[in-house]
Amino acid sequence: MKLNGSDIICEVLLEQGVDTVFGYPGGAVLNIYDALYKYSDRITHILTAHEQGASHAADGYARSTGKTGVVFATSGPGATNLVTGIATAMMDSVPMVAITGNVATPALGKDSFQEVDITGITMPITKHNFLVRDITTLAPILRKAFLIARSGRPGPVLVDVPKDISAAVTEFEHEQPKANVRVQADNDAIAKAVRLINSAQRPMIYAGGGVISANASKQLLEFAEKADIPVSCSLMGMGGFPNDHRLYCGLIGMHGGYASAMATSHCDLMIVVGARFSDRVAGDTKSFAKDANIIHIDIDAAEFDKNVLVDLTVRGSADAVLSKLTRNIETAQHTDWIGQIDEWSREKKCVQRDGDNVTPAIIFDELNKIMRPQDILCTDVGQHQMWAAQMYDFKLPRTFITSGGLGTMGYGMGASIGSQVGNPDKRVVLITGDGSFHMNLNELTTLASYNLPVVVVIMNNQVLGMVRQWQKLFYGNRFSHTDPCRKTDFVKLADAFGVTGMRITRADEVSGVLAEAFAKNGPVVIDCRISKDMNALPMIPPGLGADKIITEME
Amino acid sequence: MEYILKGHITMSHKKVLSALVRNHPGVLQRVSGLFYRRGYNIETISACATENPKFTRITLVVLTNDELEMSQIIRQLSKIQDVRRIAILDTARSIRIELMMVKFRVEPERRTEFLMLSCRNHMNTLYVGDTSVIVTASGSTEDLDETLEKLSAFPIIEQTRTGISAMEASDRPFVEMDDAEFIN
């Protein structure tokens, strides 16, 4: 059949199983938006307040559902507004397809109105990108974009479609989506890994986001239980292993638990699954797990020996590698070692108290009571994010939606929109800080327009807490621009956006207000006042080893 | 029987990479951008058409002593979707040639002397001006450096070099062209 470029885009989306997209219209995508109007019975388009919000929404949708997120934006500023969202998805390996409009091909390169070289701009922050110059290549390019986005180590792909291409007509035929390309683990490497695992006395697992993107949490649980190995999760791996399991030993890294840090220093075998030894996990790459053999399992060979030199690499998808390992290893027990880790866990618990005032622990204790295992916790970036990773009990994968690699403040509003749209039956809570929330609070209007029942909990300490904490530790209490003296009344603000606003000022109000917010079944903003001197602890200072952990500060 | 006639000099800290990439617009930018943002050092980069119009061959001379960095470079380059094949050329079994053009300042009274000297050093004369001569030569980077040294009595007005083009000294193609759908 003959179709124009915009209809082809919609048809390929349907072919790829896409029923929800996020975006914002504009001049260069008028043709595409006209097609979205026509296809509105089959493709739901969520309009955000700003393209950045749409890009984070597509990302949150992808992380929480496991499907590929799709975002549309117009040329020029529309496209550049996606940049932070695309970079966020790239750093955390999130499958996303961004479709941007551009000026018509004859106007390209002429500094036309709203023209920008978005393929040039996004080259370092996409897995791949395309500029479509010929209508006959549009459908194959879009199909390839989806295949690249979800195959191997997932990531964002951008397709730039000039306005004349979205109007041009060509022959179109449906095609079945291609299966993901699988990487088979090498049997020789598996055999070597099995030998190392069977002979280890003090093994530990460091699980990362690869466990979640490969849907390998079941395989990780089976493997850990059979080999009786404690599991630490990176920020991105959170939810990949149930936090209430006896083998769970906590967050690993800069703000990881004391037990994880001690286990890292004392283990004789570290099995790293779908993780990349980021500087937020291995601050000092030389001393990281220095007494241990390290087995690195990853789908991306470029991660091997990039940050930390390892003893054995196993390339493959986490699910495939873990199930092969589980089949081949001996059942083991490491009672003494696990007992030692439990002791470390008890030894240094960083519980901060603040009289009658609300503390992070009180909020997360309450959330742990009222959230169901499948419910979704989104965050922004800062102290609140670390508290969430430390204190919330994640039980299932794809329930923790957070910007790990890029650390994007302002990510949470868009991400919670995408998570709620993709999971209408689950409760979505956004934990944010007053700093992060100020960055993209415009998206409250999207929550209101679509009546998305997201509960936004602002841990409002009136300061840019994480940066301030670093100023306390490393910059002699010189609080340069971290105490902005903002006068924003978040309750009134919520009201102005057509969203319910509530406030928590004392510890004894937490459970009542949260219960009331959850019962509303609509968007709620809770201004939760906490002290500006609550710190994210423990903390291993940047570049240092686990033995330099700070568990207390003023 | 093998004869390696020219362009065979060991370059200790230099590695020659030969990459076959899809002949797509922007592919050179993808490759050079990766070197820039990851902080790898390129000495020369050259790109040219091949016998197959679908492919471009990019030859890179990379400065590194570090085996790990070299393997990172290969792995990172392999992740670029348009890079189809990539390999390090074995310095002992490959031919590496670059082309150089040099414009020398040559006053008329020394012209004969210059032309004899350049001829003896296997340079071809391309242009003779009032007070200048443009000559060209090809060979390994070291050959060319040596040649320039021999003509050092004459001041250089300007110089251009293509960067290295390389090929393995063997009967087979070094990297097979392969346009199979493979997603990294």
Side-chain angles (χ1 to χ4, degrees), chain A residues 209-240:
Chain A
V211 171
I212 290 165
S213 53
N215 297 316
S217 44
K218 185 172 146 275
Q219 288 84 346
L220 176 62
L221 183 65
E222 286 166 1
F223 171 72
E225 284 183 340
K226 184 171 179 190
D228 200 36
I229 303 181
V231 180
S232 289
C233 292
S234 73
L235 190 72
M236 298 315 302
M238 205 46 79

mmCIF file of all heavy atoms in Angstrom, chain A residues 209-240:
data_model
loop_
_atom_site.group_PDB
_atom_site.id
_atom_site.type_symbol
_atom_site.label_atom_id
_atom_site.label_comp_id
_atom_site.label_asym_id
_atom_site.label_seq_id
_atom_site.Cartn_x
_atom_site.Cartn_y
_atom_site.Cartn_z
ATOM 1 N N GLY A 209 22.477 -3.162 37.008
ATOM 2 C CA GLY A 209 21.289 -2.954 36.188
ATOM 3 C C GLY A 209 21.088 -3.992 35.098
ATOM 4 O O GLY A 209 19.966 -4.189 34.628
ATOM 5 N N GLY A 210 22.181 -4.678 34.717
ATOM 6 C CA GLY A 210 22.062 -5.728 33.697
ATOM 7 C C GLY A 210 21.132 -6.843 34.142
ATOM 8 O O GLY A 210 20.486 -7.499 33.321
ATOM 9 N N VAL A 211 21.061 -7.083 35.463
ATOM 10 C CA VAL A 211 20.160 -8.113 35.987
ATOM 11 C C VAL A 211 18.716 -7.726 35.667
ATOM 12 O O VAL A 211 17.890 -8.570 35.303
ATOM 13 C CB VAL A 211 20.345 -8.266 37.514
ATOM 14 C CG1 VAL A 211 19.278 -9.155 38.123
ATOM 15 C CG2 VAL A 211 21.741 -8.802 37.816
ATOM 16 N N ILE A 212 18.439 -6.431 35.768
ATOM 17 C CA ILE A 212 17.072 -5.974 35.532
ATOM 18 C C ILE A 212 16.780 -5.902 34.037
ATOM 19 O O ILE A 212 15.755 -6.400 33.577
ATOM 20 C CB ILE A 212 16.842 -4.641 36.259
ATOM 21 C CG1 ILE A 212 16.822 -4.936 37.771
ATOM 22 C CG2 ILE A 212 15.532 -3.982 35.817
ATOM 23 C CD1 ILE A 212 16.952 -3.745 38.650
ATOM 24 N N SER A 213 17.714 -5.354 33.251
ATOM 25 C CA SER A 213 17.390 -5.246 31.821
ATOM 26 C C SER A 213 17.336 -6.615 31.153
ATOM 27 O O SER A 213 16.641 -6.786 30.159
ATOM 28 C CB SER A 213 18.316 -4.276 31.092
ATOM 29 O OG SER A 213 19.642 -4.592 31.311
ATOM 30 N N ALA A 214 18.029 -7.604 31.698
ATOM 31 C CA ALA A 214 17.962 -8.955 31.123
ATOM 32 C C ALA A 214 16.841 -9.783 31.761
ATOM 33 O O ALA A 214 16.717 -10.972 31.455
ATOM 34 C CB ALA A 214 19.295 -9.663 31.309
ATOM 35 N N ASN A 215 16.036 -9.179 32.615
ATOM 36 C CA ASN A 215 14.972 -9.894 33.337
ATOM 37 C C ASN A 215 15.537 -11.141 34.019
ATOM 38 O O ASN A 215 14.989 -12.237 33.900
ATOM 39 C CB ASN A 215 13.838 -10.288 32.379
ATOM 40 C CG ASN A 215 13.183 -9.063 31.787
ATOM 41 O OD1 ASN A 215 12.912 -8.084 32.487
ATOM 42 N ND2 ASN A 215 12.944 -9.080 30.488
ATOM 43 N N ALA A 216 16.651 -10.962 34.707
ATOM 44 C CA ALA A 216 17.380 -12.106 35.254
ATOM 45 C C ALA A 216 17.270 -12.210 36.768
ATOM 46 O O ALA A 216 18.049 -12.915 37.393
ATOM 47 C CB ALA A 216 18.846 -12.009 34.849
ATOM 48 N N SER A 217 16.293 -11.529 37.388
ATOM 49 C CA SER A 217 16.282 -11.559 38.855
ATOM 50 C C SER A 217 15.919 -12.948 39.386
ATOM 51 O O SER A 217 16.423 -13.354 40.430
ATOM 52 C CB SER A 217 15.373 -10.479 39.433
ATOM 53 O OG SER A 217 14.187 -10.429 38.737
ATOM 54 N N LYS A 218 15.083 -13.677 38.655
ATOM 55 C CA LYS A 218 14.752 -15.038 39.084
ATOM 56 C C LYS A 218 16.021 -15.907 39.037
ATOM 57 O O LYS A 218 16.321 -16.642 39.984
ATOM 58 C CB LYS A 218 13.678 -15.620 38.150
ATOM 59 C CG LYS A 218 13.163 -16.968 38.543
ATOM 60 C CD LYS A 218 11.977 -17.353 37.653
ATOM 61 C CE LYS A 218 11.935 -18.850 37.391
ATOM 62 N NZ LYS A 218 12.786 -19.250 36.254
ATOM 63 N N GLN A 219 16.773 -15.794 37.941
ATOM 64 C CA GLN A 219 18.011 -16.574 37.784
ATOM 65 C C GLN A 219 19.049 -16.174 38.832
ATOM 66 O O GLN A 219 19.787 -17.016 39.330
ATOM 67 C CB GLN A 219 18.596 -16.365 36.380
ATOM 68 C CG GLN A 219 17.824 -17.035 35.260
ATOM 69 C CD GLN A 219 16.640 -16.223 34.754
ATOM 70 O OE1 GLN A 219 16.216 -15.259 35.390
ATOM 71 N NE2 GLN A 219 16.089 -16.610 33.622
ATOM 72 N N LEU A 220 19.077 -14.886 39.184
ATOM 73 C CA LEU A 220 20.025 -14.428 40.209
ATOM 74 C C LEU A 220 19.671 -15.045 41.563
ATOM 75 O O LEU A 220 20.552 -15.522 42.296
ATOM 76 C CB LEU A 220 20.011 -12.896 40.306
ATOM 77 C CG LEU A 220 20.890 -12.291 41.405
ATOM 78 C CD1 LEU A 220 22.359 -12.618 41.188
ATOM 79 C CD2 LEU A 220 20.709 -10.777 41.485
ATOM 80 N N LEU A 221 18.381 -15.060 41.870
ATOM 81 C CA LEU A 221 17.923 -15.628 43.146
ATOM 82 C C LEU A 221 18.281 -17.114 43.223
ATOM 83 O O LEU A 221 18.822 -17.587 44.232
ATOM 84 C CB LEU A 221 16.405 -15.417 43.279
ATOM 85 C CG LEU A 221 15.758 -15.869 44.575
ATOM 86 C CD1 LEU A 221 16.274 -15.046 45.751
ATOM 87 C CD2 LEU A 221 14.233 -15.740 44.491
ATOM 88 N N GLU A 222 18.012 -17.851 42.140
ATOM 89 C CA GLU A 222 18.308 -19.288 42.130
ATOM 90 C C GLU A 222 19.800 -19.545 42.290
ATOM 91 O O GLU A 222 20.219 -20.429 43.040
ATOM 92 C CB GLU A 222 17.818 -19.917 40.811
ATOM 93 C CG GLU A 222 16.311 -20.064 40.772
ATOM 94 C CD GLU A 222 15.779 -20.367 39.363
ATOM 95 O OE1 GLU A 222 16.607 -20.479 38.417
ATOM 96 O OE2 GLU A 222 14.565 -20.468 39.212
ATOM 97 N N PHE A 223 20.577 -18.740 41.588
ATOM 98 C CA PHE A 223 22.032 -18.898 41.644
ATOM 99 C C PHE A 223 22.553 -18.606 43.053
ATOM 100 O O PHE A 223 23.292 -19.393 43.647
ATOM 101 C CB PHE A 223 22.684 -17.958 40.627
ATOM 102 C CG PHE A 223 24.171 -17.864 40.736
ATOM 103 C CD1 PHE A 223 24.977 -18.920 40.333
ATOM 104 C CD2 PHE A 223 24.784 -16.729 41.251
ATOM 105 C CE1 PHE A 223 26.361 -18.839 40.430
ATOM 106 C CE2 PHE A 223 26.167 -16.643 41.357
ATOM 107 C CZ PHE A 223 26.959 -17.705 40.949
ATOM 108 N N ALA A 224 22.120 -17.464 43.610
ATOM 109 C CA ALA A 224 22.602 -17.057 44.931
ATOM 110 C C ALA A 224 22.202 -18.079 45.991
ATOM 111 O O ALA A 224 22.989 -18.401 46.891
ATOM 112 C CB ALA A 224 22.068 -15.674 45.283
ATOM 113 N N GLU A 225 20.982 -18.608 45.879
ATOM 114 C CA GLU A 225 20.519 -19.566 46.893
ATOM 115 C C GLU A 225 21.270 -20.888 46.800
ATOM 116 O O GLU A 225 21.689 -21.446 47.807
ATOM 117 C CB GLU A 225 19.008 -19.786 46.754
ATOM 118 C CG GLU A 225 18.217 -18.607 47.323
ATOM 119 C CD GLU A 225 16.711 -18.791 47.277
ATOM 120 O OE1 GLU A 225 16.252 -19.630 46.475
ATOM 121 O OE2 GLU A 225 16.016 -18.093 48.046
ATOM 122 N N LYS A 226 21.460 -21.378 45.565
ATOM 123 C CA LYS A 226 22.156 -22.659 45.421
ATOM 124 C C LYS A 226 23.609 -22.555 45.898
ATOM 125 O O LYS A 226 24.109 -23.426 46.594
ATOM 126 C CB LYS A 226 22.113 -23.136 43.968
ATOM 127 C CG LYS A 226 22.737 -24.514 43.784
ATOM 128 C CD LYS A 226 22.501 -25.097 42.405
ATOM 129 C CE LYS A 226 23.190 -26.466 42.288
ATOM 130 N NZ LYS A 226 23.188 -26.958 40.905
ATOM 131 N N ALA A 227 24.268 -21.452 45.553
ATOM 132 C CA ALA A 227 25.682 -21.300 45.926
ATOM 133 C C ALA A 227 25.838 -20.661 47.301
ATOM 134 O O ALA A 227 26.946 -20.549 47.811
ATOM 135 C CB ALA A 227 26.401 -20.465 44.882
ATOM 136 N N ASP A 228 24.713 -20.210 47.882
ATOM 137 C CA ASP A 228 24.704 -19.565 49.200
ATOM 138 C C ASP A 228 25.675 -18.371 49.228
ATOM 139 O O ASP A 228 26.613 -18.319 50.033
ATOM 140 C CB ASP A 228 25.050 -20.581 50.293
ATOM 141 C CG ASP A 228 24.586 -20.109 51.672
ATOM 142 O OD1 ASP A 228 23.518 -19.481 51.749
ATOM 143 O OD2 ASP A 228 25.303 -20.380 52.652
ATOM 144 N N ILE A 229 25.414 -17.429 48.327
ATOM 145 C CA ILE A 229 26.297 -16.264 48.201
ATOM 146 C C ILE A 229 25.522 -14.980 48.491
ATOM 147 O O ILE A 229 24.457 -14.751 47.926
ATOM 148 C CB ILE A 229 26.897 -16.182 46.769
ATOM 149 C CG1 ILE A 229 27.637 -17.477 46.433
ATOM 150 C CG2 ILE A 229 27.824 -14.971 46.636
ATOM 151 C CD1 ILE A 229 28.271 -17.478 45.059
ATOM 152 N N PRO A 230 26.041 -14.139 49.382
ATOM 153 C CA PRO A 230 25.379 -12.867 49.667
ATOM 154 C C PRO A 230 25.422 -11.921 48.458
ATOM 155 O O PRO A 230 26.359 -11.962 47.662
ATOM 156 C CB PRO A 230 26.169 -12.285 50.831
ATOM 157 C CG PRO A 230 27.434 -13.055 50.895
ATOM 158 C CD PRO A 230 27.217 -14.361 50.236
ATOM 159 N N VAL A 231 24.391 -11.086 48.364
ATOM 160 C CA VAL A 231 24.230 -10.223 47.190
ATOM 161 C C VAL A 231 24.171 -8.755 47.610
ATOM 162 O O VAL A 231 23.346 -8.371 48.435
ATOM 163 C CB VAL A 231 22.919 -10.569 46.440
ATOM 164 C CG1 VAL A 231 22.748 -9.661 45.219
ATOM 165 C CG2 VAL A 231 22.894 -12.034 46.033
ATOM 166 N N SER A 232 25.050 -7.952 47.008
ATOM 167 C CA SER A 232 24.935 -6.497 47.131
ATOM 168 C C SER A 232 24.458 -5.966 45.789
ATOM 169 O O SER A 232 24.875 -6.463 44.748
ATOM 170 C CB SER A 232 26.286 -5.868 47.455
ATOM 171 O OG SER A 232 26.661 -6.168 48.779
ATOM 172 N N CYS A 233 23.591 -4.955 45.826
ATOM 173 C CA CYS A 233 23.105 -4.381 44.570
ATOM 174 C C CYS A 233 23.676 -2.982 44.390
ATOM 175 O O CYS A 233 23.777 -2.215 45.343
ATOM 176 C CB CYS A 233 21.583 -4.276 44.572
ATOM 177 S SG CYS A 233 20.740 -5.863 44.527
ATOM 178 N N SER A 234 24.011 -2.653 43.138
ATOM 179 C CA SER A 234 24.329 -1.265 42.826
ATOM 180 C C SER A 234 23.006 -0.505 42.772
ATOM 181 O O SER A 234 21.935 -1.103 42.824
ATOM 182 C CB SER A 234 25.055 -1.172 41.487
ATOM 183 O OG SER A 234 24.143 -1.395 40.441
ATOM 184 N N LEU A 235 23.092 0.808 42.643
ATOM 185 C CA LEU A 235 21.856 1.602 42.550
ATOM 186 C C LEU A 235 20.982 1.075 41.412
ATOM 187 O O LEU A 235 19.778 0.919 41.555
ATOM 188 C CB LEU A 235 22.218 3.072 42.320
ATOM 189 C CG LEU A 235 21.050 4.051 42.445
ATOM 190 C CD1 LEU A 235 20.636 4.214 43.894
ATOM 191 C CD2 LEU A 235 21.408 5.399 41.846
ATOM 192 N N MET A 236 21.618 0.799 40.266
ATOM 193 C CA MET A 236 20.858 0.332 39.113
ATOM 194 C C MET A 236 20.361 -1.101 39.285
ATOM 195 O O MET A 236 19.427 -1.510 38.617
ATOM 196 C CB MET A 236 21.720 0.407 37.840
ATOM 197 C CG MET A 236 22.178 1.788 37.447
ATOM 198 S SD MET A 236 20.895 3.024 37.534
ATOM 199 C CE MET A 236 19.696 2.327 36.442
ATOM 200 N N GLY A 237 21.012 -1.855 40.155
ATOM 201 C CA GLY A 237 20.616 -3.250 40.362
ATOM 202 C C GLY A 237 19.517 -3.408 41.397
ATOM 203 O O GLY A 237 18.991 -4.510 41.612
ATOM 204 N N MET A 238 19.176 -2.294 42.055
ATOM 205 C CA MET A 238 18.203 -2.332 43.143
ATOM 206 C C MET A 238 16.855 -2.874 42.643
ATOM 207 O O MET A 238 16.333 -2.396 41.644
ATOM 208 C CB MET A 238 18.048 -0.919 43.684
ATOM 209 C CG MET A 238 17.588 -0.820 45.112
ATOM 210 S SD MET A 238 18.426 -1.907 46.237
ATOM 211 C CE MET A 238 19.948 -1.053 46.524
ATOM 212 N N GLY A 239 16.325 -3.864 43.346
ATOM 213 C CA GLY A 239 15.102 -4.523 42.898
ATOM 214 C C GLY A 239 15.417 -5.826 42.172
ATOM 215 O O GLY A 239 14.556 -6.681 42.014
ATOM 216 N N GLY A 240 16.667 -5.982 41.775
ATOM 217 C CA GLY A 240 17.082 -7.209 41.093
ATOM 218 C C GLY A 240 17.202 -8.382 42.062
ATOM 219 O O GLY A 240 17.265 -9.540 41.647
#
